[in-house]
Amino acid sequence: MNDMTPTREQRSAALEGMGCKRKRVEDIRFTQGKGNYVDDVKLPGMLHGDFVRSPHPHARVKRIDDSEALKVPGVLAVITAETLKTVNLAWMPTLAGDVQMVLADGKVLFQNQEVAFVVATDRYAADDGINKVIVEYEPLAPLVDPFKSMDKDAPVLREDLAGKTSGAHGPRKHHNHIFEWTVGDKELTDAAFKKAEVTIKEMISYHRTHPSPLETCQCVCSFDKIKGELTIYGTFQAPHVIRTVVSLIAKLPEQKIHVIAPDIGGGFGNKVGAYPGYICAAVASIVTGKPVKWVEDRIENLTATSFARDYHMTTEIAATKEGKVTGLRVHVLADHGAFDACADPSKWPAGFFNIVTGSYDFPTAHLAVDGVYTNKAPGGVAYRCSFRVTEAAYCIERAMDILAQKLNMDPAELRLKNFIKPEQFPYHSALGWEYDSGDYHTAMRKMMETTGYAALRKEQADKRAAFARGETREIMGLGVSFFTEIVGAGPSKNCDILGIAMFDSCEIRLHPTGAGIARMGTKSQGQGHETTWAQIIATEIGIPADNIMVEEGNTDTAPYGLGTYGSRSTPVAGAAIAMAARKIKAKAQMIAAYRLEVHEDDLEFDIDGFRVKGLPEKFMSMKDICWAAYNSVPPGMEPGLEAVSYYDPPNMTYPFGAYLCVMDIDVDTGVYNVRRFYALDDCGTRINPMIIEGQVHGGLTEAFAIAMGQEIRYDEVGNVVTGSFMDFFMPTAVETPHWETDFTVTPSPHHPIGAKGVGESPNVGGVPAFSNAVNDAFSFLGSTHIQMPHDFWRNWKAAKQLGAVA
Ligand code: PCD
């Protein structure tokens, strides 16, 4: 040892392992415009497909005439449901156990539904062709309001389901009913309400919105007739599942399908499901023998692929006078649009909405969800939330505020009083979950101290008094939100997609020079997996993160995994990565023992290699072990250093957080100003604090968008009126508030590195924080609940209705 010998700190820092704010390696290409997205894929002879879409929300399709379209120079084919029927693909199964038209078959059920697919030599010719396809419609009465969907005289939307009294999730009560899902103890809950000293009841709506990633959904399908192989480049959050689904529905052998998800420009749940565009491009490629590209435009993305939310939640809480909650009762009317194409694990028709008891110790609860059809686009995706968790968090967090208002208690105090206590973990919730770990009181108190919560309440009281005296026209709201997420779907005992258990995977292969490649079943869409996954491996096996190349998204090379959504990558694939690394480490230890001529048990792992216990100078670095793995392994051992792990998590992980939004609203204009936003997140062990911060910033920005304006709205005859970024609120840096982030660390007890997911948390916690701030601002004028989104106009309207504006 001499002055040049690196210290333990230096050796550890050189790895850039877990806990390091390692710079995102993918940004080298992204910031230089060198990403490779689906639209960058250009294959020789590639054709372009585009859709004829329905202007009507509900109509019979009487006739499709493509003769003029086929005369347009460059147009090669027009595919309709009739064409698809010849290959049995006019309809496709949905993830939720329903079926969905690929192209209009006799009827259209929502505006902009796909009617015909025009294939041409370029996009312009395809568009010209679309304008020449003549479709004769017979308009039918549209059904827009979900509350009217089960009226006696409601129009029959799904004629294909005529006479079917039950669906994938049990009995149907009406021709527009999809399922009823109930959880919890009804009798006990009803009894709690009978005995209750205080109750609240409110219909809380979470409006329809859309994930709207900057890159829309797209694919290039290329069928090789000679080899009988189909290659699909696509914006897929779950490439392996797409391969299996294509194999099953197109009856192609799975090994002859190559699915490649290149760089993805944001997913947010929009890119989990399968869309008509994928099927049509594949069929078009098989028919023409040429590669076919399909790229959605913005209007198509917003109006036809995968909406989110649209939950109408009648919420009741029973409590004592002192504010101890004794029961929760929720009924959800879920508007699923024309087909039930929700992207949830198969057994969960309302996703994980039964996390609706939130962070509170409810002795009993009961939940019923009714799913209904309307003339709207299908979808129901988890837009930055783990399958309906954001709806659940919004529901309970709004309801707790309403209860606090009724009890005349501070909303933060009411929460502290009802939190699940640290010693109650693992905690069994009344609606069936087992929360792995949590320390809610510490997080909440840290939030209150850091923000100066008590002083802010005092300021609010002063402002209200000044408002009453006519000295100001500004009102102030404090939006408290405390959420518990449930991420990491999931344990095979209760989570599957079309029968495939929701495990995830990692394969690590180390090369002789102490470098390697790692592949996972997940797929980054911007989250930074290439950076963070290497960090886990670096800490686990002592090879610098820079020496590990991470590759995802190619089904030919990556081990089978269920993909990236529901913040499942860290809880599931993250665990698989650690487990695969540990297998490598175990073999490395045997090699080191052989080379150092000691027994394996005499070795201890020390940052970047193995050391003989008690003989610190006898050390073999992981780099040297890699070399040895390829030339001098112990007799009888196979050479090489690689491992695969398929990880089936024993439980979900339950990240949580305490948020506060401080907002001022001018009653005369409805204009709000988010003065301060504080977000404390606890995601257990933190892999990359910088990436976590970025995730929180992004998620909060989306929460801000949703709560304050973003909405897919239909008029009363079924037209989408927010179908472009002119009307659909997409905040830029100009509108976006400043974010203050903070954290506590409560590791997951069952995850190999103690990590929980974080990507979705800020959306789940953020939406109620904004909405509670608006509602808190108006509450002293006598309102209990104002529906989202809280744009300027609605704020002004609320002020007017409450008598604050003449
Ligand atoms: N992390 C760390 N640590 C911890 C956790 C986590 O570091 N503890 C990090 C990781 O590694 C990554 C991230 O962070 O990188 C995230 O993670 P997570 O939470 O696990 O998640 P993931 O699975 O990976 O992802 C997913 C998510 C989601 S779900 C969403 S929506 C969104 C988020 O993610 N998306 C996106 N974020 C994001 N970002 C971006 N950039 N982009 C995008 O797209 Mo869904 O369900 O799908 O709706």
Side-chain angles (χ1 to χ4, degrees):
M1 259 203 248
N2 57 38
D3 288 352
M4 301 299 282
T5 309
T7 62
R8 299 193 81 242
E9 286 68 31
Q10 285 165 335
R11 281 164 54 212
S12 173
L15 297 178
E16 293 197 288
M18 284 192 273
C20 168
K21 294 186 181 177
R22 181 175 188 229
K23 286 209 175 119
R24 294 176 25 126
V25 294
E26 41 275 269
D27 287 353
I28 296 167
R29 62 177 191 279
F30 291 159
T31 55
Q32 297 182 64
K34 300 287 185 210
N36 180 42
Y37 298 90
V38 172
D39 205 22
D40 295 320
V41 175
K42 294 184 175 79
L43 302 179
M46 191 173 75
L47 306 175
H48 298 258
D50 206 352
F51 283 110
V52 175
R53 293 178 180 274
S54 166
H56 302 283
H58 193 194
R60 224 168 274 294
V61 178
K62 307 289 279 183
R63 187 174 67 96
I64 302 176
D65 179 353
D66 60 8
S67 52
E68 287 303 309
L70 286 167
K71 290 182 193 153
V72 172
V75 171
L76 300 173
V78 178
I79 295 174
T80 63
E82 295 312 312
T83 330
L84 294 179
K85 277 181 190 166
T86 62
V87 282
N88 215 2
L89 285 174
W91 291 70
M92 62 178 181
T94 71
L95 293 178
D98 197 357
V99 287
Q100 174 179 355
M101 289 177 206
V102 175
L103 289 169
D105 184 14
K107 241 183 141 182
V108 286
L109 289 164
F110 63 95
Q111 191 177 55
N112 278 359
Q113 185 178 333
E114 298 81 0
V115 176
F117 191 67
V118 177
V119 187
T121 46
D122 62 69
R123 184 92 193 248
Y124 302 98
D127 196 56
D128 289 344
I130 284 169
N131 292 324
K132 294 283 183 195
V133 175
I134 299 163
V135 186
E136 203 183 301
Y137 296 98
E138 176 195 319
L140 299 169
L143 171 59
V144 181
D145 183 352
F147 287 93
K148 295 193 177 137
S149 60
M150 291 205 276
D151 284 359
K152 253 217 196 83
D153 55 350
V156 179
L157 304 193
R158 293 288 301 276
E159 288 167 2
D160 61 300
L161 299 180
K164 284 209 171 158
T165 51
S166 72
H169 304 288
R172 300 169 65 218
K173 305 180 215 170
H174 180 276
H175 54 257
N176 294 326
H177 186 238
I178 310 171
F179 63 83
E180 182 188 24
W181 185 55
T182 58
V183 204
D185 192 323
K186 187 167 181 332
E187 265 169 49
L188 256 183
T189 308
D190 289 348
F193 275 86
K194 274 209 191 87
K195 276 203 309 233
E197 293 167 351
V198 183
T199 60
I200 60 125
K201 179 173 185 175
E202 193 73 53
M203 210 291 286
I204 299 168
S205 274
Y206 197 144
H207 57 286
R208 183 175 272 242
T209 180
H210 194 284
S212 56
L214 284 187
E215 179 204 37
T216 58
C217 297
Q218 34 202 275
C219 69
V220 177
C221 296
S222 179
F223 186 69
D224 182 327
K225 276 204 172 121
I226 313 282
K227 294 187 187 155
E229 292 182 13
L230 177 64
T231 304
I232 309 177
Y233 301 85
T235 46
F236 305 136
Q237 293 182 233
H240 281 99
V241 181
I242 294 281
R243 187 184 66 188
T244 303
V245 170
V246 171
S247 168
L248 292 174
I249 67 176
K251 310 256 178 324
L252 278 170
E254 201 168 359
Q255 81 279 12
K256 296 206 168 187
I257 305 168
H258 315 285
V259 176
I260 299 164
D263 286 329
I264 296 186
F268 311 113
N270 191 199
K271 296 166 179 170
V272 174
Y275 299 120
Y278 307 157
I279 309 274
C280 289
V283 170
S285 178
I286 293 170
V287 170
T288 61
K290 300 261 173 61
V292 177
K293 179 183 273 188
W294 169 69
V295 175
E296 253 184 347
D297 69 22
R298 180 59 54 193
I299 294 176
E300 295 178 296
N301 179 255
L302 285 173
T303 59
T305 45
S306 67
F307 77 93
R309 329 300 193 225
D310 222 340
Y311 261 30
H312 308 280
M313 309 169 288
T314 305
T315 315
E316 297 171 85
I317 298 181
T320 65
K321 288 198 300 289
E322 291 74 37
K324 197 94 188 85
V325 295
T326 55
L328 175 71
R329 196 156 58 191
V330 182
H331 176 266
V332 180
L333 182 67
D335 184 343
H336 286 259
F339 308 96
D340 186 6
C342 259
D344 292 315
S346 307
K347 294 187 193 81
W348 303 91
F352 301 156
F353 188 86
N354 55 330
I355 191 86
V356 67
T357 50
S359 317
Y360 314 105
D361 190 11
F362 277 95
T364 177
H366 186 252
L367 163 69
V369 183
D370 279 299
V372 295
Y373 292 121
T374 59
N375 288 119
K376 295 177 191 160
V381 298
Y383 169 9
R384 212 161 189 153
C385 80
S386 191
F387 317 111
R388 304 292 185 177
V389 175
T390 185
E391 288 91 331
Y394 181 62
C395 175
I396 187 66
E397 288 308 287
R398 210 51 286 289
M400 288 301 274
D401 260 30
I402 295 168
L403 177 64
Q405 192 182 346
K406 180 143 190 187
L407 291 164
N408 207 8
M409 260 179 91
D410 183 272
E413 287 306 322
L414 177 71
R415 285 172 172 81
L416 281 165
K417 191 168 210 154
N418 287 291
F419 278 152
I420 300 159
K421 296 183 184 70
E423 62 273 19
Q424 285 175 280
F425 291 91
Y427 172 81
H428 294 271
S429 80
L431 294 178
W433 294 112
E434 186 183 299
Y435 294 24
D436 62 345
S437 63
D439 182 354
Y440 300 166
H441 294 83
T442 302
M444 187 71 159
R445 292 207 174 99
K446 188 170 183 190
M447 178 280 270
M448 292 170 79
E449 275 154 35
T450 318
T451 57
Y453 182 76
L456 286 165
R457 280 287 176 210
K458 167 88 179 55
E459 184 192 338
Q460 183 188 42
D462 293 345
K463 255 198 153 157
R464 285 177 173 177
F467 184 89
R469 290 194 301 271
E471 291 163 15
T472 176
R473 299 295 289 155
E474 208 172 68
I475 56 177
M476 173 179 168
L478 293 183
V480 177
S481 137
F482 196 100
F483 67 93
T484 296
E485 251 263 68
I486 167 170
V487 299
S492 61
K493 58 177 185 259
N494 52 21
C495 288
D496 70 271
I497 287 188
L498 301 172
I500 309 161
M502 294 184 76
F503 57 84
D504 226 289
S505 59
C506 169
E507 178 205 276
I508 304 172
R509 191 179 299 167
L510 294 182
H511 311 319
T513 58
I517 182 161
R519 298 185 171 106
M520 297 79 190
T522 45
K523 175 62 208 167
S524 189
Q525 308 123 42
Q527 292 87 345
H529 291 176
E530 285 166 54
T531 308
T532 50
W533 293 164
Q535 290 182 260
I536 299 177
I537 298 170
T539 297
E540 287 289 337
I541 64 176
I543 293 283
D546 270 348
N547 292 5
I548 306 291
M549 173 148 114
V550 170
E551 194 187 272
E552 297 177 316
N554 184 335
T555 53
D556 281 347
T557 51
Y560 203 109
L562 276 279
T564 291
Y565 42 86
S567 264
R568 66 184 297 281
S569 305
T570 302
V572 192
I577 295 164
M579 299 312 269
R582 287 173 195 182
K583 287 185 189 175
I584 290 208
K585 197 167 155 185
K587 183 169 179 184
Q589 185 163 359
M590 292 193 250
I591 297 171
Y594 174 65
R595 297 300 308 272
L596 293 168
E597 298 177 340
V598 292
H599 191 274
E600 260 175 75
D601 295 345
D602 295 331
L603 291 177
E604 60 189 359
F605 189 71
D606 179 24
I607 300 172
D608 49 9
F610 284 96
R611 193 179 297 289
V612 178
K613 289 178 197 162
L615 285 175
E617 66 290 353
K618 284 201 99 183
F619 178 81
M620 188 168 183
S621 70
M622 274 305 292
K623 189 173 177 350
D624 292 342
I625 296 172
C626 285
W627 188 261
Y630 290 88
N631 67 27
S632 48
V633 292
M637 179 188 269
E638 289 177 18
L641 201 47
E642 59 180 82
V644 187
S645 167
Y646 283 79
Y647 190 81
D648 181 7
N651 192 4
M652 310 271 183
T653 66
Y654 296 74
F656 56 92
Y659 291 4
L660 183 74
C661 172
V662 186
M663 193 187 290
D664 297 316
I665 302 172
D666 180 293
V667 290
D668 292 317
T669 58
V671 173
Y672 56 80
N673 171 35
V674 178
R675 204 202 302 168
R676 210 170 156 189
F677 198 104
Y678 169 93
L680 178 150
D681 274 278
D682 191 320
C683 56
T685 305
R686 294 150 53 89
I687 303 162
N688 183 326
M690 182 196 69
I691 285 196
I692 292 175
E693 200 176 358
Q695 287 291 307
V696 174
H697 285 188
L700 289 176
T701 305
E702 287 185 316
F704 168 66
I706 295 167
M708 305 312 284
Q710 191 172 86
E711 179 185 22
I712 295 291
R713 196 165 64 246
Y714 286 80
D715 68 12
E716 54 302 336
V717 290
N719 297 302
V720 187
V721 295
T722 52
S724 82
F725 283 164
M726 296 290 282
D727 306 291
F728 184 84
F729 178 40
M730 176 57 81
T732 66
V734 177
E735 297 89 3
T736 303
H738 172 75
W739 312 118
E740 285 170 58
T741 58
D742 204 346
F743 64 96
T744 52
V745 176
T746 312
S748 165
H750 62 80
H751 188 283
I753 59 169
K756 303 181 178 184
V758 76
E760 302 171 328
S761 296
N763 192 313
V764 173
V767 172
F770 285 109
S771 186
N772 279 348
V774 174
N775 276 287
D776 184 62
F778 282 108
S779 63
F780 79 113
L781 298 170
S783 80
T784 49
H785 178 65
I786 301 164
Q787 302 288 9
M788 287 193 292
H790 305 290
D791 51 28
F792 299 157
W793 154 250
R794 286 182 175 95
N795 288 343
W796 177 82
K797 235 173 49 179
K800 194 157 166 73
Q801 271 159 13
L802 294 166
V805 181

